[in-house]
């Protein structure tokens, strides 16, 4: 039987009480991971400038942020200063309408000048032919039909939109726009006033310089009022030639005056009536001679524009000389 030597026994070290919390202990005691610390030590031994890349990246980030701020500021300013496309389109349309209206006005003045020259030559030819009575008859017919300018005493009726109609409806709210329309002068309001003046004895009428004839039409297109297809803007000045003694009184006491008073009392429409000793109404630019034939001598025609115009006595309107026509 062999003898065995003494057997060495190794006693295990006692377990630390905080062994289960070794991860937390490492986090608290080692603020830098060993691998990062080793890499930093090696860079220090090689003499590398570790801050250069960091400073470069920081400068690049600052430049990028400044550029982004400039772009955002520019976009905000452009968005703030840019108006909606509808507003720009409306302004362009209004400018084009004003330009075309000015062009049409220049053409109308040129047409009136040419009409005056034609009238002067026609009268001269009639007088040369020893037909002075025929020349007077043509002058009377031209005055009644609106083919020539006339001058004489009469009244001026001025209508304008209510002050509430000018201030309301500008905020784009359809409800305020609807309420403001009640204070606007409509085409039918001008029709009532014009018919009232004819009924009171007017012999010639013009609205804002547009002479009315038997073929004239007063209508609306949107918010604009057209007289013989020419757009008018408020205030609307209705000039009528007639007897200065009776025209204003008969109009004020008649249906035309009552209609004007109704508009003032119920809708705030601004209206005024004034007498004038010398009104000049231009010739109508919408009359064209399409057919003509020789007529036998006939009695002198009446100067009343319509059979319903209650005129009496001598006409107050007199034809103007062609060179005086504006």
């Amino acid at each position: 039987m062999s003898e065995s030597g003494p057997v060495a026994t190794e006693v295990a070290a006692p377990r630390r009480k905080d062994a289960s919390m070794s991860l937390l202990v490492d986090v608290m005691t080692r603020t830098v991971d060993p691998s990062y610390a080793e890499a930093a030590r090696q860079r220090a031994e090689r003499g590398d400038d570790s801050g250069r890349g960091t400073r470069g990246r920081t400068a690049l980030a600052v430049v990028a942020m400044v550029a982004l701020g400039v772009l955002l500021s520019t976009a905000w300013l452009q968005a703030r200063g840019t108006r909606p496309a509808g507003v720009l389109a409306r302004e362009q349309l209004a400018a084009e309408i004003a330009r075309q209206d000015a062009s049409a006005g220049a053409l109308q003045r040129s047409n009136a000048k040419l009409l005056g020259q034609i009238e002067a030559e026609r009268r001269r030819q009639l007088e040369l032919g020893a037909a002075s009575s025929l020349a007077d008859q043509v002058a009377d017919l031209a005055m009644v039909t609106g083919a020539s300018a006339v001058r004489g005493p009469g009244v001026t009726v001025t209508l304008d939109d209510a002050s509430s109609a000018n201030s309301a409806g500008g905020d784009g709210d359809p409800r305020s726009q609807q309420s403001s329309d009640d204070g606007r002068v409509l085409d039918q309001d001008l029709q009532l006033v014009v018919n009232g003046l004819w009924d009171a004895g007017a012999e010639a009428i013009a609205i804002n310089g547009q002479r009315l004839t038997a073929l004239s039409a007063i209508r609306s297109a949107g918010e604009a009022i057209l007289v013989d297809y020419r757009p008018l803007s408020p205030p609307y000045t209705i000039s009528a030639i007639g007897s200065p003694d009776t025209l204003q009184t008969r109009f004020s006491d008649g249906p035309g005056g009552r209609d004007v008073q109704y508009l003032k009392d119920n809708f705030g429409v601004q209206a005024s009536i004034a007498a004038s000793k010398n009104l000049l109404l231009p010739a109508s630019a919408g009359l064209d001679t399409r057919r003509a034939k020789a007529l036998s001598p006939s009695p002198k025609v009446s100067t009343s524009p319509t059979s319903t115009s209650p005129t009496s006595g001598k006409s107050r309107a007199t034809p103007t000389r062609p060179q005086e026509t504006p």
Side-chain angles (χ1 to χ4, degrees), residues 33-255:
D33 189 88
S35 59
Y36 285 102
E38 180 63 23
R41 186 185 63 78
Q42 292 177 1
R43 283 197 302 271
E45 292 177 354
R46 294 194 301 267
D48 293 344
D49 188 1
S50 59
R52 180 181 301 173
T54 303
R55 289 195 296 270
R57 288 192 297 270
T58 303
L60 182 60
V62 171
V63 172
M65 293 179 63
V66 171
L68 181 61
V70 171
L71 290 176
L72 292 177
S73 300
T74 303
W76 180 77
L77 292 175
Q78 290 180 350
R80 182 183 180 184
T82 302
R83 288 170 293 180
V87 175
L88 294 177
R90 178 182 297 180
E91 291 181 353
Q92 294 175 357
L93 181 59
E96 180 65 18
I97 291 175
R99 188 180 68 83
Q100 294 293 344
D101 187 63
S103 177
L107 292 175
Q108 185 178 17
R109 291 188 294 270
S110 177
N111 187 34
K113 182 178 179 180
L114 294 175
L115 286 176
Q117 296 175 358
I118 294 174
E119 179 66 22
E121 181 63 22
R122 180 172 58 187
R123 187 172 185 85
R124 188 179 70 83
Q125 293 294 334
L126 289 175
E127 291 177 350
L128 288 177
S132 59
S133 60
L134 183 58
D136 294 338
Q137 183 178 358
V138 170
D140 292 339
L141 289 173
M143 179 183 64
V144 173
T145 58
S148 64
V150 293
R151 184 190 299 272
V155 298
T156 300
V157 181
T158 303
L159 298 180
D160 197 359
D161 297 337
S163 57
S164 58
N166 296 327
S167 59
D171 53 357
D173 189 350
R175 293 170 296 181
S176 60
Q177 180 69 28
Q178 180 68 24
S179 61
S180 66
D181 288 342
D182 292 338
R184 297 187 184 278
V185 178
L186 306 179
D187 55 337
Q188 59 189 14
D189 301 330
L190 297 183
Q191 294 173 6
L192 293 173
V193 173
V194 168
N195 290 336
L197 288 171
W198 285 131
D199 187 65
E203 300 170 6
I205 299 177
I207 303 178
N208 284 15
Q210 297 295 317
R211 181 76 173 275
L212 299 183
T213 67
L215 303 177
S216 296
I218 304 175
R219 61 187 65 184
S220 63
E223 294 185 359
I225 296 180
L226 308 180
V227 174
D228 288 339
Y229 301 101
R230 280 295 309 274
L232 305 181
S233 58
Y236 305 99
T237 303
I238 308 171
S239 304
I241 292 180
S243 172
D245 300 328
T246 60
L247 180 58
Q248 182 174 357
T249 302
R250 298 185 66 173
F251 174 77
S252 300
D253 296 339

